[in-house]
Amino acid sequence: MPQLITPKLSPWLPLLIIGFSISYSITVLTRLPWWTLFVVTSIWLIVSLKLHWGTSASYRRAWPWSLLPLCLWGLYVYLADSFGIVDLGAVFFHLQAGITDHGGSGRMVAAVLYTACMLSLLIAFTWLIRHDHRWRRVEPLIAIALLVTNPLIFGIGQRSAAVVTDDGGWLDRRYVEPVISAQENPPNLLLLYLESIERTYDDPRFGDAYADLSAIGESGKVFEGVRQIDNTGWTMAGMIASQCGTPLMPAGLLHDRQFEPLSTVVPGVRCLGDLLSEQGYRLSYLGGASTEFAGKGLFYRDHGFDNVYGLRELQPRLDDPNYVNNWGLYDDSLYDFTVKEIERLDAESDGPWGVVNLTIAGHAPNGYPAQRCIERQGEWDGVDILYSVECSAWLARDLLERLTEQGLLENTVVAIASDHLTMRVSVWDELITMDRDNTFMLLGDDLSPKRIIREASMVDIFPTLLDAMGYKPEDSRAGLGVSLLDSETRTLLERHGLADINARLREENVLQQRLWEGLAPQRREADEAANEGEQVTETPSDSADEIIISY
């Protein structure tokens, strides 16, 4: 093994590095104010110098057992600092779906700094172990403690345990294959995903940031209580949950080519695009970021969309091709292209069309406000996420007004939703103390204004969209979701609660196999035979908490 350079240092420098690393981790993982970093570091230095750590006369060239556990903790702290909540599902999915053309260049700089700090910590800790026999004695226990307490290790262990769980098909038994029937004069669909613009921003403590969306909601149905269950907390997961009625459980070991990107995304389920394309809809997706990132292009092309436009397709059409951000197009440019696409679809045929749009203005950590917003709102400090939230809300309202003035929203259902709850932003400390939920609202000729308060999740958006468009699914159910327009049916969250559903998701593997059917041979003949007939909705183990499964 190559020698790790441990230069002769006075004890205070390595102890300072260790103390600073500990205090920084504490401030990232808790809600303590930033100044506690210096308090904790000072306390550490006082104690360590008082006890003369690192000044032992005995020196031994020893390699700490804790080096790898320290690296794993460093990775966890980096992820927590970047995103607020570490979602292993998102990590696994992005590694397999591909991170080509990602827009996180700012985080790449942070990653380099973290790496440098981590190397400093490893050198300092090795120095301490070699220069203090007291630390050498307890160091193996420290390594074990670091492994046992690391949430990354705990999360991976939970996912591994799902393979041998007693009932890994609880959610799959509640999955309902979506089926719709043709109708006369079907409506168009405009589905706007507003990146990270959760409904929680409607709270008065955030001022008027959400005001334009609130104004839009006065003309339609506004849904409160759309929670974020596990495996729906990133963009692709939120879009798949709301269009396929199921959380996005990563392919994991079901992918038979582990070191190659996915060639298809959730091929085993029928989603909104599949259903609408069969009804003659002409479908287009437009997003400012690259469609290569996280499999967005694969998903939409595989599920019925005729046109898929992202950064590579739209940037050459800009008047100024340099008017882009780290992720892609600004939302004012994206909405201009959206208007042109709807104009084209409307003029091309009398048949129905569907347009799905994904914005970027609200993306954590600071957002990407467009130039039109800066001209309207004044100078941006580069940090305030509420500025970006206001920008996203105003641009969405402006888009709908433009389309309405041109008569392009006649016989059209408009849906506005956040793709997921936001990640770490400038108002993170306030957000995490609140009862958070996603934005979801519907507008249309036959949708009278109403505020609907229900315990729901993103999977319920799928059947609700179908219902709002006149394609009400049987028993108001599709996938794992329930139409929120049908007050007689109960959602999974209303029946079981958020904590229980998340616990079931950690145990589930049969639904995961359904999602990724075809990537590798996995479903047992018995499972396939059971699905050929009536859906199995009960087992004896279910009867303790449910009498009727039709919810």
Side-chain angles (χ1 to χ4, degrees):
M1 180 181 294
Q3 291 188 354
L4 182 68
I5 299 175
T6 54
K8 292 184 178 181
L9 303 170
S10 59
W12 72 266
L13 181 56
L15 291 174
L16 174 64
I17 293 173
I18 296 171
F20 184 84
S21 300
I22 293 173
S23 58
Y24 181 78
S25 300
I26 291 174
T27 56
V28 168
L29 300 177
T30 66
R31 294 173 52 207
L32 294 175
W34 63 269
W35 52 262
T36 57
L37 184 151
F38 302 102
V39 175
V40 174
T41 302
S42 299
I43 294 173
W44 165 268
L45 284 175
I46 291 172
V47 172
S48 59
L49 295 176
K50 183 76 174 178
L51 297 178
H52 303 289
W53 287 342
T55 59
S56 173
S58 63
Y59 172 85
R60 181 183 301 173
R61 185 176 291 277
W63 289 98
W65 292 92
S66 299
L67 294 184
L68 177 58
L70 281 171
C71 289
L72 292 175
W73 260 108
L75 175 60
Y76 180 78
V77 172
Y78 168 73
L79 293 174
D81 189 28
S82 299
F83 305 110
I85 298 174
V86 180
D87 191 328
L88 283 178
V91 174
F92 294 150
F93 176 78
H94 284 91
L95 288 176
Q96 287 192 305
I99 55 175
T100 302
D101 295 336
H102 72 87
S105 59
R107 294 311 304 172
M108 293 298 291
V109 174
V112 171
L113 293 176
Y114 263 88
T115 301
C117 292
M118 210 50 228
L119 288 174
S120 300
L121 173 61
L122 296 179
I123 293 172
F125 190 74
T126 301
W127 184 94
L128 179 61
I129 296 303
R130 292 181 174 184
H131 286 79
D132 197 315
H133 67 280
R134 294 167 295 179
W135 277 88
R136 283 199 299 273
R137 290 173 183 170
V138 300
E139 194 271 330
L141 297 178
I142 294 174
I144 294 173
L146 289 172
L147 286 174
V148 170
T149 58
N150 192 321
L152 282 179
I153 304 299
F154 179 72
I156 293 173
Q158 280 188 318
R159 291 179 178 273
S160 301
V163 176
V164 294
T165 185
D166 291 336
D167 184 8
W170 190 89
L171 286 168
D172 188 72
R173 290 196 300 276
R174 284 150 179 80
Y175 180 89
V176 175
E177 191 74 28
V179 178
I180 62 175
S181 301
Q183 61 171 307
E184 294 184 5
N185 193 29
N188 305 313
L189 172 66
L190 173 59
L191 173 53
L192 303 179
Y193 287 106
L194 306 185
E195 169 70 47
S196 302
I197 308 298
E198 59 187 84
R199 203 191 64 84
T200 320
Y201 285 123
D202 196 25
D203 190 276
R205 73 187 76 180
F206 300 125
D208 294 330
Y210 197 86
D212 285 299
L213 287 177
S214 296
I216 292 173
E218 293 175 359
S219 302
K221 295 189 183 297
V222 176
F223 298 86
E224 298 183 15
V226 181
R227 309 298 176 188
Q228 181 166 290
I229 61 176
D230 287 352
N231 295 103
T232 65
W234 66 96
T235 295
M236 278 299 295
M239 291 196 295
I240 286 174
S242 56
Q243 293 183 46
C244 308
T246 173
L248 175 53
M249 306 178 75
L253 295 178
L254 299 182
H255 183 25
D256 58 0
R257 296 176 297 278
Q258 290 297 304
F259 300 103
E260 297 179 18
L262 294 171
S263 59
T264 184
V265 177
V266 293
V269 291
R270 283 159 51 80
C271 302
L272 182 67
D274 300 304
L275 301 177
L276 296 184
S277 64
E278 292 172 359
Q279 298 298 322
Y281 278 74
R282 295 156 297 134
L283 303 175
S284 296
Y285 165 82
L286 297 93
S290 171
T291 58
E292 302 298 315
F293 177 72
K296 283 197 293 287
L298 287 176
F299 170 70
Y300 283 105
R301 293 187 188 97
D302 288 349
H303 290 277
F305 278 70
D306 309 293
N307 304 292
V308 179
Y309 303 112
L311 174 62
R312 293 185 182 180
E313 294 78 17
L314 298 177
Q315 185 177 11
R317 304 183 192 178
L318 291 171
D319 293 335
D320 179 6
N322 294 320
Y323 179 54
V324 293
N325 54 59
N326 290 340
W327 279 100
L329 272 66
Y330 286 96
D331 287 352
D332 51 1
S333 301
L334 178 66
Y335 281 157
D336 287 342
F337 288 122
T338 301
V339 172
K340 292 178 182 177
E341 180 66 8
I342 293 176
E343 289 174 341
R344 183 188 69 80
L345 292 169
D346 189 69
E348 183 178 84
S349 168
D350 292 333
W353 52 261
V355 171
V356 175
N357 183 284
L358 173 64
T359 68
I360 200 67
H363 198 291
N366 307 315
Y368 297 92
Q371 183 61 37
R372 288 189 63 199
C373 295
I374 295 174
E375 293 170 356
R376 173 181 176 268
Q377 297 171 223
E379 185 177 357
W380 178 49
D381 63 6
V383 175
D384 183 14
I385 192 62
L386 297 181
Y387 185 105
S388 300
V389 172
E390 180 179 348
C391 173
S392 181
W394 175 72
L395 285 174
R397 184 180 183 182
D398 180 70
L399 171 67
L400 297 185
E401 290 175 350
R402 291 165 63 188
L403 293 172
T404 300
E405 290 174 359
Q406 296 183 48
L408 295 173
L409 293 184
E410 295 178 3
N411 190 32
T412 299
V413 171
V414 177
I416 301 176
S418 51
D419 54 346
H420 54 78
L421 302 182
T422 191
M423 299 176 189
R424 185 180 287 272
V425 290
S426 59
V427 292
W428 181 250
D429 289 343
E430 290 86 352
L431 284 171
I432 60 178
T433 65
M434 303 171 70
D435 190 23
R436 302 170 69 188
D437 60 345
N438 280 289
T439 292
F440 180 42
M441 57 183 69
L442 291 171
L443 299 92
D445 298 337
D446 299 325
L447 297 169
S448 58
K450 185 178 181 180
R451 189 168 293 271
I452 299 174
I453 304 174
R454 300 187 62 174
E455 283 300 308
S457 67
M458 293 294 281
V459 300
D460 298 305
I461 291 181
F462 177 39
T464 306
L465 285 174
L466 295 175
D467 195 354
M469 297 176 69
Y471 295 109
K472 185 173 183 178
E474 185 176 357
D475 296 328
S476 299
R477 301 171 62 193
L480 294 177
V482 165
S483 173
L484 302 178
L485 298 173
D486 186 346
S487 60
E488 300 300 317
T489 57
R490 297 174 64 191
T491 68
L492 277 176
L493 263 62
E494 287 170 335
R495 185 170 284 276
H496 300 285
L498 180 64
D500 188 40
I501 294 304
N502 283 338
R504 295 288 187 178
L505 275 166
R506 289 190 289 270
E507 298 174 354
E508 186 74 23
N509 54 58
V510 181
L511 179 62
Q512 180 190 31
Q513 294 171 359
R514 178 192 292 272
L515 290 174
W516 300 100
E517 189 79 60
L519 286 188
Q522 55 232 314
R523 293 186 73 91
R524 300 185 302 271
E525 292 181 4
D527 293 337
E528 294 173 350
N531 289 331
E532 287 178 2
E534 293 186 2
Q535 183 189 6
V536 178
T537 54
E538 279 289 354
T539 67
S541 63
D542 296 331
S543 59
D545 65 344
E546 282 186 55
I547 302 293
I548 301 174
I549 280 296
S550 61
Y551 51 84

